[in-house]
């Protein structure tokens, strides 16, 4: 085994002209991307972090007390604690997977990078110090508005308050603490690279840092959730009230832990050599899984709690998405195939179909409000009467469209089968009319990427037009369909502007989607913290839908 070169030689290897040129190029690259990183932090990361900060406080125009997860519990019930627990366990799992991958890569490279674990610890410590600094700094800035009450507001006073916010004792000490930890992290990082030089040393430092960050986030989340649950029990004991659903949260958490332990025990059993250890681990896995399943079975009870407006908004959003996306894509694909046939006037119709997408939504919504007005002379009511039907209230009708149709046919339906309200159906029709042109243009681009030889070969083999579409065109349009469906689903869950224009109080909230519910909490009820918590719930739902769509639909995408 070769002896390790002296430290002096290793330092000289790091400052050769070639290495200096490499460091200079790296520094130049970092300097070029620094402005972009600063912009991403200011306009991307910081707003999200600030929204999280807001959601953990009680806000009535100005910030008041820290309330932890109370806003999330108010929004989705005790599922907030379950979600926090899952996020914490997920972060721990990420840390475990990162460490396992690093161990495998170290074996492949035949190196021992364990000294690089130390810089990762200190970089994580520095990141924690920076978050701690922001936690102390934000209240000082936010309280400036309170300090300006009842005094003459001048530029000098404002600048003085900003200076005081920067140099407040706790803020200044937190900033110095961050600088100290970051300096120590840099020093240890350089020392570790000097002592243990091998390929990809910086990569191992970065990956170990990510693993420590994931571990810290996981432990911090689990500790925070535990503190919140303990606080809820303490309040219940002091007030003499029943904590209610909290025991179920604890049982679910315990159930998840038992399921994880059972999974680990089951997978480790085949690796044992003694038969008694094998059967003992199998028995333990079965006991753990059975107990975990019984405890986790309490989850459906949690869905009964939470904010009714939030759950109503989620239900309306699901109706809106289910009523918009399938019809929108089907009509767009039909029109695209029709316009792709090189018919006379197809260029004109392409422009006509695309016009609704470029039309200002305020103008188009105003026109639709007149078409579906609650007047006898409204266009849709005139059409219905000419066909022998009755006029409808349309945007003011809160009754489910399925119940309206059932009543017209003399059929009785249960309440759960009411479906979307008639007012929401009008909004769905407007949304389909608006986005069909855009989807048609994208589908036309997708059709243009399909080689004509494939269609000709299918026709020569005896395939009719339907067979060509079913087995050639439709599968090869799957990338386009996947993209449009993903964008459409995310768009319906984020939709707000058009829904707000169509909103009528007589519709009794049947057109208030999740986004509208968040807006009402923020701008009408002035519950900023609660609205921020609802926004993160919506973000989690959209992220989950995206992952599900990517998992099930993305696997069925065909590329040439």
């Amino acid at each position: 085994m070769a002896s390790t070169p002296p430290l002096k030689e290793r330092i000289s290897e790091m400052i050769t002209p070639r290495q200096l040129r490499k460091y200079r190029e790296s520094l130049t690259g970092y300097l070029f991307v620094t402005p972009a990183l600063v912009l991403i932090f200011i306009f991307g990361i910081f707003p999200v972090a600030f929204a999280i900060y807001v959601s953990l406080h009680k806000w009535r125009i100005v910030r008041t007390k820290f309330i932890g997860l109370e806003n999330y519990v108010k929004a989705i019930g005790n599922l907030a604690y379950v979600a926090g627990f899952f996020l914490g366990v997920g972060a721990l799992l990420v840390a475990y997977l990162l460490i396992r991958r690093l161990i495998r890569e170290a074996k492949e490279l035949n190196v021992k990078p364990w000294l690089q674990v130390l810089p990762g610890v200190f970089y994580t410590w520095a990141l924690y110090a920076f978050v701690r600094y922001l936690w102390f700094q934000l209240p000082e800035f936010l309280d400036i508005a309170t300090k300006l009450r009842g005094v003459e507001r001048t530029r000098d006073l404002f600048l003085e308050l900003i200076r005081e916010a920067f140099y407040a004792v706790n803020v200044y000490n937190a900033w110095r603490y961050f600088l100290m930890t970051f300096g120590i992290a840099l020093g240890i990082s350089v020392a570790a690279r000097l002592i243990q030089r091998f390929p990809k040393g910086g990569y191992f430092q970065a990956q170990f840092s990510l693993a420590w960050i994931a571990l810290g986030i996981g432990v911090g989340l689990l500790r925070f959730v535990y503190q919140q649950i303990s606080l809820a029990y303490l309040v219940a004991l002091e007030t003499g009230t029943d904590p209610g659903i909290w025991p179920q949260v604890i049982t679910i958490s315990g159930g998840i832990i038992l399921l994880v332990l059972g999974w680990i025990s089951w997978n480790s059993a085949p690796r044992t050599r003694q038969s008694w250890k094998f059967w003992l681990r199998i028995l333990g896995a079965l006991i753990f899984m059975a107990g975990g399943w019984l405890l986790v079975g309490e989850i459906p009870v949690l869905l009964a709690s939470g904010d009714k407006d939030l759950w109503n908004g989620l239900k309306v959003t699901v109706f809106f998405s289910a009523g918009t996306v399938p019809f929108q894509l089907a009509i767009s694909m039909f029109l695209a195939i029709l316009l792709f046939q090189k018919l006379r006037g197809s260029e004109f119709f392409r422009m006509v179909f695309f016009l609704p997408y470029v039309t200002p939504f305020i103008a188009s919504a105003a026109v639709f409000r007149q078409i579906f007005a609650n007047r006898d002379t409204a266009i849709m009511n005139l059409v219905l009467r000419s066909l022998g039907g009755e006029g409808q209230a349309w945007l003011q009708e809160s009754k489910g469209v399925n119940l309206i149709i059932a009543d017209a046919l003399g059929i009785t339906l249960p309440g759960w089968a009411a479906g979307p309200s008639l007012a929401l159906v009008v909004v769905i029709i407007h949304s389909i009319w608006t986005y069909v042109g855009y989807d048609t243009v994208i589908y036309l681009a997708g059709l243009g990427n399909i080689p004509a030889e494939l269609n000709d070969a299918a026709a020569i083999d005896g395939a009719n037009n339907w067979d060509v579409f079913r087995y050639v065109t439709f599968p090869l349009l799957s990338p386009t369909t996947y993209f449009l469906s993903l964008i459409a689903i995310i768009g319906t869950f984020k939709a707000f502007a058009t829904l707000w224009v169509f909103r009528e109080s007589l519709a009794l909230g049947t057109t208030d989607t999740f986004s509208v519910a968040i807006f009402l909490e923020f701008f009408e009820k002035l519950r900023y913290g609660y609205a921020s918590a609802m926004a993160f719930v919506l973000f989690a739902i959209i992220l989950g839908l995206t992952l599900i769509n990517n998992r099930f639909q993305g696997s069925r995408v065909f590329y040439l």
Side-chain angles (χ1 to χ4, degrees):
M1 181 176 178
S3 60
T4 304
L7 181 60
K8 185 177 180 179
E9 293 183 12
R10 278 176 278 170
I11 295 176
S12 63
E13 291 176 1
M14 295 184 65
I15 59 176
T16 60
R18 183 177 180 180
Q19 290 294 333
L20 288 175
R21 184 170 64 254
K22 182 180 178 181
Y23 294 147
R24 185 170 61 251
E25 291 174 355
S26 300
L27 180 61
T28 304
Y30 284 125
L31 290 176
F32 269 110
V33 301
T34 295
L37 293 176
V38 171
L39 291 176
I40 291 172
F41 175 79
I42 294 176
F43 297 104
I45 298 175
F46 179 76
V48 174
F50 181 71
I52 294 175
Y53 177 84
V54 171
S55 69
L56 299 176
H57 290 76
K58 185 176 182 179
W59 287 69
R60 288 286 185 179
I61 304 297
V62 295
R63 180 185 63 89
T64 54
K65 63 180 181 178
F66 174 81
I67 58 174
L69 295 178
E70 185 176 321
N71 284 320
Y72 292 94
V73 175
K74 189 182 299 181
I76 60 175
N78 297 319
L79 279 174
Y81 293 92
V82 178
F85 180 84
F86 271 115
L87 289 174
V89 172
L92 295 180
L93 180 61
V94 169
Y96 166 74
L97 294 176
L98 282 172
I99 295 297
R100 191 174 68 171
R101 188 183 68 181
L102 288 173
I103 293 174
R104 185 177 65 251
E105 293 180 355
K107 290 181 179 179
E108 293 174 355
L109 295 173
N110 195 23
V111 296
K112 296 180 180 180
W114 314 124
L115 184 61
Q116 310 305 321
V117 173
L118 196 58
V121 174
F122 282 92
Y123 277 127
T124 306
W125 183 21
L127 178 63
Y128 163 76
F130 182 69
V131 174
R132 178 175 175 269
Y133 158 72
L134 291 179
W135 185 266
F136 286 128
Q137 180 70 86
L138 281 174
E140 297 294 333
F141 279 122
L142 296 173
D143 291 344
I144 290 178
T146 305
K147 296 176 182 179
L148 288 174
R149 289 181 179 178
V151 299
E152 183 180 357
R153 301 175 183 178
T154 62
R155 180 175 179 273
D156 293 337
L157 176 60
F158 184 70
L159 294 177
E160 177 64 22
L161 291 176
I162 290 180
R163 192 189 69 81
E164 291 179 0
F166 273 112
Y167 289 98
V169 175
N170 56 347
V171 174
Y172 185 68
N173 290 337
W175 175 250
R176 293 179 60 186
Y177 182 72
F178 162 67
L179 293 179
M180 180 192 70
T181 54
F182 186 66
I184 293 174
L186 284 177
I188 292 179
S189 175
V190 173
R193 293 293 304 277
L194 287 173
I195 296 172
Q196 193 179 54
R197 286 186 54 79
F198 57 86
K200 302 179 69 173
Y203 166 78
F204 278 100
Q205 281 193 7
Q207 294 300 307
F208 278 126
S209 298
L210 291 177
W212 280 109
I213 291 171
L215 180 63
I217 291 174
V219 173
L221 275 173
L222 293 177
R223 181 172 176 269
F224 181 65
V225 171
Y226 173 75
Q227 289 176 343
Q228 294 294 298
I229 293 175
S230 300
L231 180 62
Y233 271 110
L234 181 62
V235 172
L237 289 173
E238 291 178 350
T239 58
T241 58
D242 183 5
I245 203 70
W246 303 118
Q248 298 183 43
V249 176
I250 296 176
T251 57
I252 288 173
S253 302
I256 294 170
I257 293 173
L258 290 178
L259 287 175
V260 172
L261 292 175
W263 177 77
I264 294 173
S265 180
W266 181 274
N267 283 323
S268 64
R271 294 193 294 269
T272 59
R273 296 182 178 181
Q274 293 85 357
S275 59
W276 66 273
K277 287 185 177 180
F278 172 82
W279 290 111
L280 181 63
R281 293 190 180 187
I282 291 295
L283 179 61
L286 293 176
I287 293 174
F288 283 142
M289 290 180 179
W293 176 254
L294 291 175
L295 294 176
V296 175
E298 300 291 330
I299 282 182
V301 181
L302 296 178
L303 295 175
S305 62
D307 188 350
K308 293 183 179 179
D309 291 337
L310 183 143
W311 293 113
N312 177 72
L314 180 59
K315 181 185 72 173
V316 173
T317 306
V318 171
F319 279 141
F320 180 55
S321 182
T324 301
V325 177
F327 295 101
Q328 178 180 313
L329 295 180
I331 296 172
S332 301
M333 185 180 293
F334 172 76
L335 293 177
I337 293 173
L338 192 64
L339 295 175
F340 198 71
Q341 305 304 315
K342 307 298 183 183
L343 301 176
R344 178 178 295 181
S346 60
E347 297 293 334
F348 170 75
F349 284 107
R350 291 186 187 187
M351 180 186 67
V352 170
F353 292 147
F354 194 69
L355 279 177
Y357 181 72
V358 298
T359 302
F361 73 91
I362 294 294
S364 61
V367 172
F368 264 71
R369 286 183 66 90
Q370 297 304 315
I371 294 175
F372 292 93
N374 188 27
R375 302 189 307 269
D376 293 336
T377 56
I379 294 177
M380 285 305 301
N381 283 336
L382 290 175
V383 171
L384 287 177
R385 286 190 173 86
S386 66
L387 297 175
E390 298 181 357
Q392 300 292 330
W394 299 111
L395 290 171
Q396 298 179 359
E397 179 60 73
S398 61
K399 194 173 183 179
V401 64
N402 293 339
L403 294 181
I404 294 176
I405 296 174
D407 291 344
L409 298 176
I411 303 173
T412 302
L413 289 179
W416 57 265
S421 68
L422 189 60
L424 184 61
V425 170
V426 176
V427 182
I428 290 173
I429 294 173
H430 176 267
S431 181
I432 294 173
W433 178 81
T434 300
Y435 290 98
V436 156
Y438 171 80
D439 292 351
T440 300
V441 171
I442 303 299
Y443 267 127
L444 284 170
L447 289 170
N449 290 328
I450 299 177
E453 294 82 1
L454 296 177
N455 295 333
D456 296 338
I460 293 173
D461 289 340
N464 55 33
N465 291 335
W466 170 251
D467 292 333
V468 172
F469 171 78
R470 172 65 181 83
Y471 297 105
V472 179
T473 305
F474 185 74
L476 294 179
L477 278 178
S478 56
T480 307
T481 304
Y482 171 67
F483 166 75
L484 291 176
S485 62
L486 183 63
I487 296 299
I489 292 172
I490 294 175
T492 53
F493 271 77
K494 292 171 56 180
F496 168 77
T498 304
L499 289 154
W500 186 259
V501 174
F502 281 113
R503 189 171 184 266
E504 290 279 354
S505 59
L506 294 178
L508 303 179
T510 55
T511 59
D512 291 352
T513 59
F514 212 115
S515 298
V516 175
I518 294 173
F519 181 86
L520 294 174
E521 291 292 338
F522 196 94
F523 287 99
E524 290 192 0
K525 301 179 183 179
L526 303 178
R527 297 196 293 181
Y528 301 151
Y530 183 49
S532 298
M534 292 177 65
F536 278 101
V537 172
L538 177 60
F539 169 76
I541 292 172
I542 293 175
L543 181 61
L545 289 174
T546 304
L547 294 175
I548 292 172
N549 190 55
N550 183 64
R551 173 65 180 85
F552 290 98
Q553 189 178 353
S555 60
R556 292 170 174 80
V557 175
F558 300 91
Y559 295 97
L560 288 174

